[in-house]
Amino acid sequence: ANKPAMYVLFLLFQILGAVILGFGIWIVADKTSFIAVLQMSSPSLKTGAYILIGVGALTMLMGFLGCLGAVNEIRCLLGLYFTCLMIILITQVAAGLVIYFQKETLKEELSHIVKDLIENYNPLNEDKKNLQEVWDYVQTQITCCGWTGAKDWEDNEIIMNKSMTEYPCSCSNRTEDLEEGRGFCRLDDTANSTATYTDWPVHGQGCMDGVEQWLKDNLGVILGVCTGVAVIELLGMILSISLCKNIHSEEYTKVPKS
């Protein structure tokens, strides 16, 4: 009676595994979004991406083994399926706790990555062109400037050499600057030949606040997905135990009584 429900769960696990696997591969391969800024500089994210690839592959394998166990009524495969599910569920809870308690450390690491990128930003540097274009894209899309604010850009070597009379085009709130999209734009009024970030026509919000706001806005969706995955895993564990018991009962009734 539990078999149809198990088959649906196995299909869900195949889909879930494929999604996790794809997400991990995307983080490793992505070169065109904010993820690229992180994965090219952050060992934590690279490690996390490889873990996702491993978990995705394991989840797909589990779906196959579980289905094989249910079809052929092999208790050891169902037991393996249950054990793998339990390990993954415990790992997910542990990962969530680590992220929660280490969020300040992760935030600090990200801060160093972005500030180093800003300080060394140079449109003529071909080696870091892709990474710099990604950061320009982030600033344009989130309508933010720098990590904590536009003042971060005062530490850029080129802007310092220009006495702050230039500013990043991707930070600008002027349409004509955004058409340029990358590199530096020059202040219209440079009569004093010196300026500060307060003279730049740029967004006031730092990208840290923008990213945090995005996470807050999407927290419900993120928590909903995590809860949904956990519920599916718990259902899989309950049904696999139930099916194991049924198989055991059937085997017991088949034993000839002396």
Side-chain angles (χ1 to χ4, degrees):
N2 291 323
K3 282 187 181 182
M6 285 296 287
Y7 297 146
V8 171
L9 274 172
F10 298 142
L11 179 61
L12 281 174
F13 271 102
Q14 292 286 44
I15 295 166
L16 185 64
V19 169
I20 296 170
L21 182 67
F23 190 59
I25 292 169
W26 170 64
I27 290 174
V28 171
D30 187 88
K31 298 285 182 279
T32 58
S33 72
F34 184 52
I35 293 294
V37 176
L38 305 181
Q39 70 99 356
M40 288 178 75
S41 313
S42 171
S44 300
L45 192 78
K46 282 183 181 177
T47 305
Y50 290 123
I51 289 170
L52 282 176
I53 290 170
V55 168
L58 181 62
T59 305
M60 291 182 76
L61 177 64
M62 268 180 8
F64 174 73
L65 289 177
C67 190
L68 200 64
V71 169
N72 296 299
E73 298 190 344
I74 304 171
R75 290 177 65 201
C76 64
L77 279 181
L78 288 169
L80 181 64
Y81 175 74
F82 172 85
T83 306
C84 287
L85 271 182
M86 189 166 63
I87 290 168
I88 286 181
L89 190 59
I90 292 168
T91 304
Q92 285 170 346
V93 172
L97 290 173
V98 167
I99 290 168
Y100 180 77
F101 289 111
Q102 295 291 316
K103 60 185 175 184
E104 290 304 316
T105 307
L106 294 170
K107 194 172 168 182
E108 192 66 27
E109 182 184 300
L110 184 53
S111 173
H112 288 309
I113 292 166
V114 174
K115 285 185 177 179
D116 181 66
L117 175 62
I118 288 170
E119 282 175 27
N120 299 294
Y121 184 101
N122 182 347
L124 301 177
N125 187 339
E126 290 296 318
D127 292 337
K128 291 190 175 181
K129 185 182 176 184
N130 288 343
L131 192 58
Q132 291 173 169
E133 284 182 347
V134 165
W135 184 244
D136 284 326
Y137 175 80
V138 169
Q139 291 190 139
T140 305
Q141 292 301 308
I142 301 182
T143 59
C144 58
C145 194
W147 184 239
T148 55
K151 195 176 192 309
D152 291 340
W153 279 98
E154 285 194 338
D155 296 325
N156 178 268
E157 292 175 18
I158 293 173
I159 290 178
M160 281 194 285
N161 290 337
K162 298 284 185 179
S163 302
M164 310 296 166
T165 57
E166 290 191 356
Y167 56 92
C169 298
S170 58
C171 277
S172 182
N173 51 29
R174 302 195 308 180
T175 308
E176 58 268 30
D177 292 338
L178 292 175
E179 285 174 5
E180 176 63 30
R182 66 183 301 268
F184 298 111
C185 293
R186 191 163 182 81
L187 280 170
D188 294 332
D189 181 20
T190 54
N192 296 327
S193 72
T194 58
T196 66
Y197 77 95
T198 55
D199 299 309
W200 301 341
V202 296
H203 301 295
Q205 177 184 237
C207 294
M208 178 180 71
D209 294 334
V211 170
E212 284 186 345
Q213 190 56 51
W214 181 87
L215 286 171
K216 284 175 185 173
D217 291 343
N218 293 277
L219 190 61
V221 176
I222 294 166
L223 287 175
V225 170
C226 291
T227 304
V229 169
V231 168
I232 291 169
E233 287 168 350
L234 283 169
L235 280 172
M237 289 165 71
I238 292 164
L239 284 171
S240 62
I241 289 175
S242 175
L243 199 56
C244 264
K245 283 182 177 177
N246 286 346
I247 293 168
H248 178 70
S249 300
E250 286 172 11
E251 287 174 351
Y252 181 75
T253 55
K254 287 175 186 174
V255 175
K257 294 185 172 74
S258 53

